[in-house]
Amino acid sequence: MPVEVTVDNVSSQKNCPAEKYFQEWVETALTVAGAAVDNSAIDIRVVDEAEIQALNARYRQKDAPTNVLSFPFEPPADVPNNFLGDVIICAAVVEREAKAQGKTLDFHWAHMVVHATLHLLGFDHQTEAQAEQMEALECVILNRLGFPDPYRWPIEEHETDD
C-alpha cells in the first residue's frame, strides 16, 4: 500500500493543487530520501493566514503567517506506527511567495510539500551543514518531479547553455 496522504483544504484560496499532486510530491520525497513509503501516512491541512499565524505563534513563538509548518509524530517507543505527522500549508502565503519569486504556483507548492515531508523525516536547516544537506536533497527530489533548483531560481542568463 502506498503512502496515505490526506489533504484537508479549508483555505479560501482557489489555486490549491489537486490531491493527486500532493500524493506524487510526498511519495517522491519519501522514495528519494530512502524512507519507507508503504503503509506510511501524512496529513496535510491547507489553511488561511489566520490559522497558520496562530499555529506559528503557539508552536514557534513567531506571531506572523508563514508558508508551511511540519509536526512530526513521535509515538511511544513500544507503539508501532507509520504515521509520519502533520503538515500545515498556508495557500495565500505560498501564492504570494510564488509570485514574488517568479515561480509557477505548482513549482512552489511542490517545494513546500517536499520541504515539509523532509522535516517529518527529521531533516532540518538549523545549522549550515543541515541546510546544505536538506537543500541538496530537496533539489534532487524536485528535479525528479521535473522542477528546477528552487535555491538558484531564476537561473541567471550566464549559467544557461544558450
Side-chain angles (χ1 to χ4, degrees), residues 116-132:
T117 301
L118 292 179
H119 272 306
L120 296 182
L121 296 177
F123 290 90
D124 209 339
H125 45 79
Q126 295 298 312
T127 68
E128 188 172 323
Q130 290 173 332
E132 285 180 17

Side-chain angles (χ1 to χ4, degrees), residues 18-135:
E19 286 190 33
K20 68 179 182 180
Y21 295 110
F22 287 96
Q23 182 79 33
E24 178 185 9
W25 299 332
V26 168
E27 281 184 11
T28 303
L30 293 175
T31 300
V32 173
V37 174
D38 291 344
N39 299 315
S40 296
I42 292 176
D43 286 346
I44 298 175
R45 181 173 171 87
V46 181
V47 301
D48 287 324
E49 291 184 79
E51 184 171 339
I52 206 158
Q53 181 172 345
L55 292 168
N56 204 23
R58 180 174 180 180
Y59 293 103
R60 298 179 63 223
Q61 292 73 51
K62 296 182 178 182
D63 191 17
T66 189
N67 49 18
V68 62
L69 295 171
S70 299
F71 298 94
F73 181 64
E74 298 173 8
D78 58 338
V79 176
N81 193 310
N82 294 327
F83 181 64
L84 298 175
D86 295 298
V87 171
I88 314 297
I89 304 176
C90 180
V93 172
V94 171
E95 187 168 340
R96 190 168 49 247
E97 288 178 345
K99 284 181 184 172
Q101 296 170 17
K103 296 176 180 173
T104 65
L105 198 49
D106 282 351
F107 176 17
H108 201 45
W109 270 104
H111 185 204
M112 294 299 98
V113 171
V114 166
H115 183 88
T117 301
L118 292 179
H119 272 306
L120 296 182
L121 296 177
F123 290 90
D124 209 339
H125 45 79
Q126 295 298 312
T127 68
E128 188 172 323
Q130 290 173 332
E132 285 180 17
Q133 179 188 27
M134 187 171 177
E135 290 171 5

